[in-house]
Amino acid sequence: MIRRLAVLALMAVLASSCAGRTTDAGLVLDLLADLETRPHEFSYREVVEGVELVVTGTVEDDLRRSGKLTVDGVELLEQVVSDDGMALRVFAPDLVPGLSDLEDPDAEAALRAGDWVVDHVGAPDLLPPVTREGFVATGLGPLLDAHYALGYLRRAIQDGAAVREHNSDDPEYQPLDDPFSEITERELSRSQGYRRFDVLAPSLPGPAQRDAAPPDVSHFRKIAFFVRGERIVKVLEEVSFERREFRRALEGRQSEFYLELLANVVAGGTLEPVRLRSMSYDVLQLGRPFEVELPLDAHAGSLAGLLAAMGEHPEAEEPAEITRPPAEEEDDESAEAGDDVGGGEAESGP
Amino acid sequence: MRGARRPVAVAWIAVTGILLAACGQNSEDAPFPAAAEEAAALSLLIPAQVVGLTVEPEEIPQRAVEGIEEPYADAIVIFSLREGDILRGTLQVARLNRRARPADKSFRDQIVSQIAAVEPTELKVGDAEVYAAGGSEQDIYVWFEGRGMMVLAVHEAFPFPRTLLRRFVDAELGL
């Protein structure tokens, strides 16, 4: 019996090491790049402090996407981004932070009436903001977090210690430390045709490394990519202070150093504040051509600062004058949004 | 006005970068030819106005290409993009020769690295894979189509750079 278990353990170790960390990371990055370049429908879900934020939408390409936000099941607003412009429509104005702070009263009035407002220079930046330590920021507001989700995941792979294909037969695997064990077994197992790739967190400093730099978000982030065929179909992330070392220390099976470290981390002793959350990104449809267009029946106005106001760290922005792209003489597919202009003549935006 | 001249300067860098990229290789090709025919052909694809900017072909002074014997491009056309008299950007369209390997990503990366001062972001815009980089006071977009290489430089004061990029990508300018 012992010999058979040893053989099984050896086979599990060989199976897990044959793929190679570099190969698995390269594979996941390639699959992620493939997803990033393909039109697709998605559902982005985030739970922070018990509040569920869901953005469902469509990606046509890197400059055109749409999304609808619900908060705890309540439909809040809808967004369309197309090239330089962004349009918003609000379903529950009393629940949208920052709406009263819009510098454009006409835009605010239109949004409160449930109408579309298009800001022809309001599209988010191409690249996500990064923190002081160079991590891709989250907590920007659910629409922005969803907008940058794939770029965030790409960076998270690079921040992690390694990428390894999941193997529940690995003797080092502990379901207690795996927040995705149940859903993997229930819906996304290998026998159901899925492969799972985990981004491994870096090791925590040990008792002999008391002077090491404090841990950062990458130490507390668990990410699993679920692949079916040659496509990523789902990504799960859990950012929490639950780690094997802390669990073992609480059980008395690891150095008390880790209890001290846990207390320090919970009290804010990390390189930067760690935003605890669970997140999922589901690819609902892939490859079918999707077309995202700014609504034609929209008021033109400034939406400056509204998306950022929905974030946890809103920053003041300069108010923008209403701007719309000039009509083109020979182009029927003009970027302008119909004749319903809510403001004055076009001037340069911020 | 000083800011308005910058895009033209960047376009020159893009031109010399791609022309000089192949220096050192043996060839019996003739010196760089004039691109009047290519400019005329492209003018049929590009409207006279795009996103409110007047599009006009610009001449490339011969001194800019003298002494270059081993280019990757055998024809280059540069268009100015003006809002009235103010230069808001430039569009450079190069026809790559057989020495170039535009289907090879490493080749594309090498060429783009000579144009962009910072590491570019790779975007999917329609069917095109576009390299986007922020330069000094401008945005630079580079993409390849068939044997064509396009470099769009847009001054930061112009509020619709992505819309402009989309228009040129959709025009399918590959020579």
Side-chain angles (χ1 to χ4, degrees):
Chain A
M1 179 63 150
I2 294 176
R3 186 176 302 171
R4 190 173 303 152
L5 285 174
V7 169
L8 284 174
L10 178 61
M11 289 174 63
V13 169
L14 289 175
S16 64
S17 64
C18 279
R21 292 180 178 182
T22 304
T23 303
D24 286 347
L27 172 65
V28 174
L29 285 171
D30 284 347
L31 294 177
L32 191 56
D34 182 68
L35 177 60
E36 287 174 304
T37 58
R38 286 177 177 268
H40 64 277
E41 289 183 340
F42 70 92
S43 175
Y44 171 90
R45 177 180 177 273
E46 188 182 52
V47 178
V48 179
E49 296 182 351
V51 178
E52 180 189 58
L53 309 159
V54 178
V55 178
T56 54
T58 302
V59 176
E60 178 182 335
D61 62 29
D62 281 310
L63 303 183
R64 288 181 174 169
R65 60 189 298 126
S66 66
K68 185 178 285 188
L69 169 66
T70 62
V71 179
D72 284 341
V74 177
E75 214 168 50
L76 205 64
L77 53 79
E78 190 172 4
Q79 174 204 44
V80 177
V81 176
S82 180
D83 300 336
D84 299 292
M86 181 180 72
L88 288 180
R89 177 170 61 169
V90 173
F91 302 108
D94 292 339
L95 301 180
V96 176
L99 194 54
S100 301
D101 297 328
L102 273 180
E103 293 287 339
D104 183 346
D106 292 333
E108 180 188 348
L111 289 172
R112 289 190 180 279
D115 296 336
W116 281 102
V117 172
V118 61
D119 181 340
H120 287 288
V121 293
D125 290 337
L126 289 177
L127 295 178
V130 294
T131 66
R132 186 183 66 245
E133 297 298 328
F135 295 102
V136 173
T138 61
L140 308 169
L143 286 173
L144 289 175
D145 286 338
H147 186 90
Y148 296 125
L150 297 184
Y152 166 86
L153 290 169
R154 168 173 295 281
R155 183 56 190 267
I157 292 171
Q158 296 162 351
D159 293 337
V163 175
R164 184 180 295 166
E165 184 163 4
H166 176 74
N167 182 5
S168 55
D169 293 331
D170 187 332
E172 292 187 18
Y173 172 69
Q174 283 288 345
L176 279 176
D177 303 317
D178 178 8
F180 316 127
S181 62
E182 286 186 22
I183 190 173
T184 301
E185 284 303 309
R186 189 174 67 241
E187 301 173 18
L188 301 162
S189 66
R190 184 183 289 271
S191 62
Q192 292 165 305
Y194 297 93
R195 297 173 71 185
R196 169 179 156 180
F197 294 87
D198 296 333
V199 180
L200 304 182
S203 301
L204 286 172
Q209 299 162 309
R210 290 179 181 272
D211 295 331
D216 56 57
V217 62
S218 64
H219 292 89
F220 303 107
R221 191 161 53 188
K222 298 183 176 75
I223 299 177
F225 288 84
F226 294 89
V227 175
R228 189 182 182 95
E230 296 295 318
R231 301 277 185 263
I232 292 173
V233 295
K234 190 182 192 77
V235 187
L236 294 175
E237 181 200 56
E238 187 85 16
V239 182
S240 73
F241 294 138
E242 294 183 20
R243 280 196 60 132
R244 175 179 302 184
E245 298 90 333
F246 297 154
R247 175 175 63 79
R248 287 171 171 259
L250 288 168
E251 294 170 353
R253 296 195 287 146
Q254 196 128 15
S255 165
E256 286 191 0
F257 164 81
Y258 289 104
L259 293 178
E260 296 170 15
L261 183 59
L262 173 59
N264 195 32
V265 158
V266 170
T270 51
L271 197 63
E272 288 178 323
V274 174
R275 183 168 175 268
L276 305 180
R277 71 170 188 172
S278 61
M279 183 273 283
S280 66
Y281 191 99
D282 284 81
V283 181
L284 304 177
Q285 284 257 22
L286 182 68
R288 183 167 67 91
F290 297 103
E291 288 192 3
V292 175
E293 295 179 344
L294 292 174
L296 295 177
D297 58 342
H299 301 268
S302 172
L303 296 170
L306 185 56
L307 286 194
M310 300 181 67
E312 293 157 22
H313 305 286
E315 295 178 4
E317 287 188 32
E318 291 294 326
E321 297 186 44
I322 298 168
T323 310
R324 60 197 305 225
E328 298 189 51
E329 293 180 1
E330 298 178 28
D331 188 354
D332 291 333
E333 297 176 359
S334 165
E336 71 220 79
D339 296 324
D340 191 3
V341 179
E345 288 299 314
E347 298 240 358
S348 294
Chain B
M1 281 303 178
R2 193 178 81 181
R5 290 183 181 275
R6 288 298 181 86
V8 176
V10 170
W12 287 124
I13 293 172
V15 168
T16 54
I18 195 168
L19 291 180
L20 293 172
C23 272
Q25 299 184 29
N26 295 324
S27 170
E28 295 179 353
D29 288 350
F32 198 78
E37 290 182 6
E38 287 76 10
L42 282 172
S43 294
L44 295 176
L45 294 175
I46 302 175
Q49 271 212 340
V50 178
V51 196
L53 302 178
T54 303
V55 183
E56 291 182 344
E58 300 282 338
E59 289 187 6
I60 303 175
Q62 190 61 31
R63 67 175 184 276
V65 299
E66 279 176 352
I68 298 174
E69 297 181 353
E70 313 293 341
Y72 277 132
D74 57 22
I76 291 183
V77 182
I78 293 181
F79 294 89
S80 62
L81 310 171
R82 296 181 186 274
E83 184 175 4
D85 291 332
I86 300 176
L87 183 67
R88 293 298 190 192
T90 59
L91 173 69
Q92 167 193 306
V93 183
R95 184 175 63 203
L96 303 174
N97 58 26
R98 293 180 184 279
R99 194 174 298 113
R101 307 180 312 279
D104 182 346
K105 188 175 188 310
S106 62
F107 172 84
R108 298 197 303 270
D109 291 348
Q110 172 200 343
I111 294 297
V112 173
S113 68
Q114 298 186 46
I115 298 171
V118 297
E119 186 175 352
T121 300
E122 295 183 34
L123 306 173
K124 194 72 185 294
V125 180
D127 292 330
E129 295 179 6
V130 179
Y131 296 80
S136 175
E137 299 179 1
Q138 60 205 321
D139 296 317
I140 301 171
Y141 304 99
V142 183
W143 69 103
F144 298 79
E145 184 180 326
R147 302 302 301 183
M149 170 181 162
M150 280 60 70
V151 180
L152 173 65
V154 186
H155 195 270
E156 65 178 4
F158 185 68
F160 310 112
R162 302 178 197 177
T163 307
L164 196 60
L165 168 66
R166 176 82 60 180
R167 292 291 184 271
F168 288 126
V169 166
D170 288 348
E172 297 182 351
L173 302 173
L175 294 172

